[in-house]
Amino acid sequence: MLAREVLEELVRVLGRENVLTEQEDLLTYAYDATAAMKHHKPDVVVAPLSTEQVADVVKIALRYHVPIYTRGSGTNLSGGTIPIEGGIVLSMLNLNKILEVDQDNLTATVQPGVIIQALNDEAAKHGLLYPPDPGTVTTATMGGSVSECSGGLRGLKYGVTKHYIMGLQLVLANGEVIRWGGKTVKNVTGYDLVALFTGAEGTLGIITEIIVKLIPAPEARKSILAVFDDVDKAGRAIAAIIRNKVIPATLEILDNVTIQTVENFVHAGLPMDAEAVLLCEVDGYKEVVVREAVLVERILKEEGAVQVKIAKDDKERDLLWLARRSALPALAQKRPTTVLEDATVPRSKIPDMLKAIRSIATKHNLQIATFGHAGDGNLHPTILTDERDLEEMKRVHLAVDEIFETALALGGTLSGEHGIGIAKMKYLDREFGEAGVAALRRIKESLDPNYLLNPGKIVRRD
């Protein structure tokens, strides 16, 4: 329980209406979108209206040594916003203004509670685009996306969140407000602290303002569906497209389990008997798009696709991408618990990773559906299970261990876009070694020596 003085100070700074203490309210902040994760209630939830109020909250927390867990929409998939030590959940949803779209400098300045899709809708009015495109684009916030360095469907051609963050305003663990970066294309002044805080999962500071890079929206696009009777052929086709110097905006894969589940969910016309499908989109100038679509179609057929279909209009295109974006919600209906991972490998190793996932599923007698951003090597093996079945969950944990071990053995990484949070902390030394984890800990302790900002995530105190 928080000391009465803490609650009184929070109410004084924020107003009674922005301080939640009822048990029903606290329960809704005890978990996030991560499956099979223990719930932890905070002691209080606060919703500041300004950077100054965020700084005041941090100073109160520091004075009474209370942990702070910053939260957006709670859509993360690594336990990154679960308040495992209680304390204060700092909801950023009231800081939800798009402050500026600067057409001359191709930037936007936003508060952290802005929904990603809202930013893109505003940018589109000016013929501009913010490329990072996570699956939760209609619900996830900009602050959460920056904190997790989320990726999404357009990562192959356009990169991920960190490639578009130009400047940040932050509140540090001592309550100081700082700015790094800005609107200049070039900036090599001092350490690249914008990059350090991007993907730090709220463990080093609290983001209160973001300057992002925008790009001109492509004038044309074509979406392509390729059907395969063999998953390995689909994997090889991915590498062949890139080898032929075509970089699609999006290149996604769905295996048979995912195809059947999604088709029953959205009725997009996916072939239920296919072992795998690839969804590809090329974009850019009209002439280039036409040429690349023809080239991709030829490559897919040469690599063994039994059917290749180019969407004839936006209606067909939108239905294909609705199917892809529906993969997780559709799979979530099959079993009570959906364990979604994001082990990532060099794209040349996609066939090896797909084969390993199938082998791991058979070994542990589990149903694993696989889909994901195959073009950039970021797969989402999704284990369909029931966390109430303790014996099956033991097998699930063994399977997850083997999936990550395989990804690392293939030259990959633990996370392409979901972050570390609670879920993957135990694997960090396998990728970085003890010395690497110790270096992360020293960075944490230099900026947050009291471990008050999102404690228990990425690294723990020795």
Side-chain angles (χ1 to χ4, degrees):
M1 293 289 293
L2 283 183
R4 179 174 54 84
E5 292 87 350
V6 177
L7 291 176
E8 289 176 349
E9 289 203 38
L10 291 172
V11 169
R12 177 180 57 79
V13 167
L14 301 170
R16 177 70 259 182
E17 68 278 11
N18 294 313
V19 179
L20 306 179
T21 56
E22 294 296 327
Q23 292 302 303
E24 294 85 352
D25 292 321
L26 301 182
L27 279 170
T28 63
Y29 292 88
Y31 59 93
D32 56 25
T34 314
M37 193 68 65
K38 186 177 178 181
H39 296 182
H40 297 269
K41 281 192 305 182
D43 295 300
V44 63
V45 177
V46 300
L49 298 167
S50 66
T51 296
E52 292 72 26
Q53 287 189 347
V54 173
D56 287 339
V57 171
V58 171
K59 290 172 184 175
I60 293 169
L62 180 61
R63 191 154 56 246
Y64 292 96
H65 206 78
V66 179
I68 298 177
Y69 293 87
T70 307
R71 182 184 177 105
S73 296
T75 58
N76 82 89
L77 293 163
S78 59
T81 54
I82 297 175
I84 61 175
E85 295 184 13
I88 300 169
V89 163
L90 185 72
S91 170
M92 305 302 281
L93 294 181
N94 282 340
L95 293 169
N96 57 11
K97 294 182 177 62
I98 299 173
L99 302 174
E100 179 189 49
V101 174
D102 183 341
Q103 297 182 70
D104 293 333
N105 289 303
L106 294 182
T107 65
T109 304
V110 302
Q111 293 182 318
V114 169
I115 302 300
I116 301 170
Q117 187 61 53
L119 170 59
N120 252 328
D121 290 343
E122 186 63 28
K125 297 175 183 177
H126 307 279
L128 300 173
L129 173 70
Y130 174 67
D133 186 34
T136 52
V137 65
T138 58
T139 52
T141 63
M142 287 297 298
S145 179
V146 174
S147 294
E148 296 290 337
C149 192
S150 57
L153 277 67
R154 290 193 281 249
L156 170 59
K157 180 174 182 178
Y158 292 108
V160 298
T161 298
K162 66 183 178 183
H163 300 119
Y164 294 87
I165 306 307
M166 299 178 67
L168 294 173
Q169 177 178 268
L170 302 113
V171 177
L172 296 180
N174 62 3
E176 292 178 346
V177 179
I178 56 165
R179 284 183 179 270
W180 280 306
K183 293 184 179 182
T184 60
V185 174
K186 295 179 179 179
N187 184 335
V188 294
T189 304
Y191 300 121
D192 190 353
L193 294 172
V194 171
L196 176 64
F197 281 84
T198 301
E201 302 184 26
T203 62
L204 303 179
I206 299 169
I207 297 169
T208 59
E209 197 172 293
I210 307 160
I211 300 174
V212 301
K213 177 174 69 174
L214 303 176
I215 65 171
E219 70 175 35
R221 59 193 181 188
K222 282 188 177 293
S223 292
I224 304 161
L225 170 70
V227 180
F228 290 85
D229 57 10
D230 182 278
V231 175
D232 291 337
K233 290 180 182 177
R236 290 193 292 270
I238 294 163
I241 291 170
I242 306 302
R243 192 166 54 246
N244 278 273
K245 310 300 186 294
V246 178
I247 308 297
T250 306
L251 184 53
E252 302 284 304
I253 191 169
L254 285 71
D255 73 357
N256 179 258
V257 175
T258 310
I259 293 165
Q260 292 192 26
T261 307
V262 167
E263 181 58 24
N264 287 327
F265 189 66
V266 298
H267 308 294
L270 300 181
M272 301 277 275
D273 58 345
E275 286 300 309
V277 298
L278 293 182
L279 292 172
C280 177
E281 182 162 284
V282 291
D283 68 1
Y285 293 111
K286 291 179 183 178
E287 298 82 0
V288 175
V289 167
V290 170
R291 185 168 68 248
E292 287 190 340
V294 170
L295 178 55
V296 169
E297 181 180 21
R298 191 197 78 205
I299 294 166
L300 291 167
K301 290 178 177 178
E302 289 174 351
E303 294 298 324
V306 297
Q307 180 186 356
V308 180
K309 180 181 179 181
I310 299 177
K312 66 177 184 292
D313 53 32
D314 280 347
K315 183 178 179 180
E316 279 195 4
R317 174 207 177 262
D318 291 345
L319 190 57
L320 287 177
W321 293 111
L322 173 63
R324 167 58 187 88
R325 291 188 183 279
S326 299
L328 182 56
L331 289 168
Q333 295 192 350
K334 290 184 71 71
R335 296 289 304 279
T337 307
T338 308
V339 178
L340 175 72
E341 296 299 347
D342 76 324
T344 303
V345 296
R347 54 178 164 253
S348 62
K349 299 295 184 181
I350 285 283
D352 298 322
M353 192 68 205
L354 290 168
K355 183 177 180 180
I357 292 168
R358 295 198 302 274
S359 176
I360 291 167
T362 301
K363 176 181 176 180
H364 295 287
N365 190 27
L366 295 169
Q367 186 174 29
I368 303 181
T370 301
F371 64 97
H373 321 303
D376 56 32
N378 185 192
L379 294 176
H380 294 310
T382 305
I383 305 175
L384 308 178
T385 184
D386 185 343
E387 62 184 304
R388 297 168 297 185
D389 185 335
L390 300 184
E391 190 279 328
E392 185 171 81
M393 287 305 295
K394 289 180 181 177
R395 289 184 276 119
V396 168
H397 293 311
L398 290 172
V400 171
D401 287 348
E402 290 189 28
I403 287 170
F404 287 134
E405 288 170 1
T406 302
L408 293 175
L410 291 172
T413 184
L414 296 172
S415 179
E417 58 187 7
H418 291 172
I420 299 301
I422 305 168
K424 298 174 186 173
M425 274 201 304
K426 69 176 183 178
Y427 303 109
L428 269 184
D429 62 349
R430 302 186 194 183
E431 181 163 344
F432 295 144
E434 290 184 8
V437 174
L440 293 180
R441 188 173 291 112
R442 287 195 295 273
I443 293 171
K444 167 71 172 174
E445 291 174 352
S446 69
L447 289 164
D448 182 19
N450 297 300
Y451 280 75
L452 294 184
L453 300 182
N454 209 5
K457 314 298 172 63
I458 303 183
V459 291
R460 287 197 176 100
R461 193 194 305 262
D462 269 339

